[in-house]
Structure formats: structure tokens, C-alpha cells
Amino acid sequence: MRETDFIGGFAKGLRVIEAFGEVRPRLTITDVSAQTGLDRAAARRCLLTLAELGYAAYDGKFFELTPKILRLGHAYLSATPLPRLVQPYLDQLCERIGQSASASVLDGAEIVYVARAAQKRIMSINLTAGSRLPAYCASMGRVLLAALPEAEARAIIEASDRKANTPFTRTEPDALVDELSRVRRQGYALIDQELEIGLRSIAVPLVNARGRVVAALNIGAPAAHAAADDMVECYLPAMREVQASLRQVLA
């Protein structure tokens, strides 16, 4: 891209939007400046512009995003056929095995949920379409990282904020790269309480008709319901069936 094609003001606005999150729902100008690296004047202009356009609310001190911001994410979900194609398969899989089923795509160092079917809540956070999780410690993240060239996957891992969510979380880049190699060989990833205590999950890549990995599918289950070794025997065959069926319909 040519330098003249880059709109700096637009980029700053996006950085400001991304400063908000689950743990930062309300921010001051100073907060946004610190989060984005923008000076206070630029952060203020971006925030006031968002408020003027209805994407943020301002009470004189704090800014918070409004529901209108959902239009931006909905544009992606509406434009891509992936959620519409996979949702019926997730619903059937969830009903068949009695556990939550999800699909996600890779976005930098995170996975983004594009579809989900859940009979019950199994995590402390409520996962829906648009939810994000770090790729390095999520089963879907690992199969999506494993689909990348090793050097690219390592670069993403090394750039990630790798925190130990539990005593079982793997954070060392070399150990994670070795795990990705195993995921490539076996064709699935198994996470045993690395993301959250009491949660196990298993994931497979979703491959399109041209053989390209376009998403990941996972099953999440409470640790009390299934031992780690049982996850493969209990859930992988049904997931393989969904994987094969979706290969015929994914572009």
C-alpha cells in the first residue's frame, strides 16, 4: 500500500474503539490516551467524534460505546456466509453430544467466535458471536495457528501476551510451537484446563473444498463430565463427521 493511501485519522479512530473492552467499558480521555498511545488532544477528538456520530456516550467525564457500535461487527457477520453455513451443524452437534459447540476464525493473536451452540454455560465468561479469546491457550486457536507456517505461528505466539490463566497454562514459545507440531500431526487440539480451571475442550480445523483451513470447530465440556483422554473417544468422531460435511459446503 502506498503511504498516500493510508488515512491516519481513520486509523486513530479504530485504535480508540479497540481501547474499550470487557474490563474497560468506561474510559476517560486520559485512559484512552494511555491505552492507544495517542496524545490527549487526538484521543479527545476521536472520542468526541464517536459521540457525535452516536457510537459512544459521554457523561462529561467517561465515554462508553453504545449499541450502535455493533453495526460494525454485524457488517462482517452479515457479509461472510461462514456463520450461516456452520450454525445448523453446531446446533445438531450440540444436541447430539450434549455439550457446547463453537466455531471461530483467527484474528492476529486472538480467535473470534463466529457461531456457537450451547445448552449450558460452561465458562465464567459468556461466549457469543464476536467474543474473543487468546489463541495460544484455546483449542480452536491452536488448530488455527497449526495451520500456519511454523515461522508465522511462532511470531504470533511470541507477540502474544502469554499469561498463565491457570497452573496448567503453557506459556513458553518453544513448548507451544512443539504443541502445534503435534496438533498438525494428529489433526486436533486438546486443551486441559489451560484457559480456565474446570474446562476442557477439543478442536478440529474446518477445511474448505480447496483444502484451505478457514475456521475451527470445538467442543467444550466441564472437566467433571469428561476426562482429558475421554474427550477424543467421546467427541472426536462426531466432530470428524461435521468436519467432513462442512468441507463440501465451505467455499
Side-chain angles (χ1 to χ4, degrees):
M1 182 180 70
R2 294 175 301 178
E3 185 176 349
T4 54
D5 291 331
F6 188 82
I7 303 176
F10 184 62
K12 290 176 183 178
L14 292 175
R15 284 162 64 186
V16 168
I17 292 173
E18 291 177 344
F20 293 86
E22 184 177 1
V23 297
R24 299 187 301 271
R26 302 174 73 240
L27 297 174
T28 65
I29 294 172
T30 300
D31 294 332
V32 170
S33 177
Q35 287 289 330
T36 62
L38 299 174
D39 60 50
R40 280 180 50 85
R44 178 178 179 274
R45 288 195 299 271
C46 289
L47 287 165
L48 290 176
T49 299
L50 289 172
E52 178 66 24
L53 295 175
Y55 288 104
Y58 181 44
D59 65 4
K61 180 178 181 181
F62 289 98
F63 289 84
E64 59 184 333
L65 299 180
T66 67
K68 188 176 180 180
I69 205 77
L70 293 174
R71 293 184 183 181
L72 305 180
H74 184 68
Y76 165 75
L77 293 175
S78 299
T80 177
L82 183 61
R84 174 176 52 81
L85 291 173
V86 303
Q87 189 64 57
Y89 293 89
L90 296 185
D91 293 338
Q92 294 170 16
L93 183 60
C94 177
E95 184 66 25
R96 176 179 172 182
I97 65 175
Q99 301 291 356
S100 300
S102 307
S104 71
V105 295
L106 188 66
D107 182 23
E110 298 178 313
I111 58 169
V112 181
Y113 281 68
V114 296
R116 181 165 168 80
Q119 292 188 334
K120 47 190 170 291
R121 183 167 168 175
I122 61 172
M123 291 187 67
S124 60
I125 59 174
N126 186 29
L127 295 173
T128 60
S131 295
R132 290 172 173 267
L133 290 176
Y136 74 95
C137 60
S139 60
M140 288 188 287
R142 287 193 181 162
V143 296
L144 292 169
L145 289 172
L148 301 176
E150 183 175 310
E152 184 177 349
R154 177 182 282 276
I156 291 174
I157 288 171
E158 291 179 344
S160 301
D161 180 17
R162 302 180 309 279
K163 64 178 182 179
N165 302 295
T166 79
F168 306 106
T169 310
R170 303 180 205 186
T171 60
E172 289 299 318
D174 288 344
L176 288 166
V177 170
D178 288 344
E179 177 62 17
L180 295 185
S181 296
R182 184 166 74 161
V183 170
R184 291 188 193 97
R185 292 194 303 270
Q186 64 191 17
Y188 66 87
L190 180 64
I191 295 290
D192 186 3
Q193 304 183 87
E194 291 191 52
L195 187 62
E196 184 172 302
I197 289 292
L199 174 69
R200 295 188 173 112
S201 65
I202 184 171
V204 297
L206 293 179
V207 182
N208 66 13
R210 298 190 299 275
R212 185 171 70 89
V213 174
V214 296
L217 162 73
N218 96 329
I219 293 294
H225 288 192
D229 292 341
D230 293 338
M231 295 283 288
V232 176
E233 181 180 352
C234 293
Y235 304 136
L236 188 59
M239 297 175 70
R240 292 291 197 206
E241 292 179 19
V242 173
Q243 186 184 40
S245 297
L246 280 170
R247 182 164 189 155
Q248 306 305 314
V249 299
L250 292 177

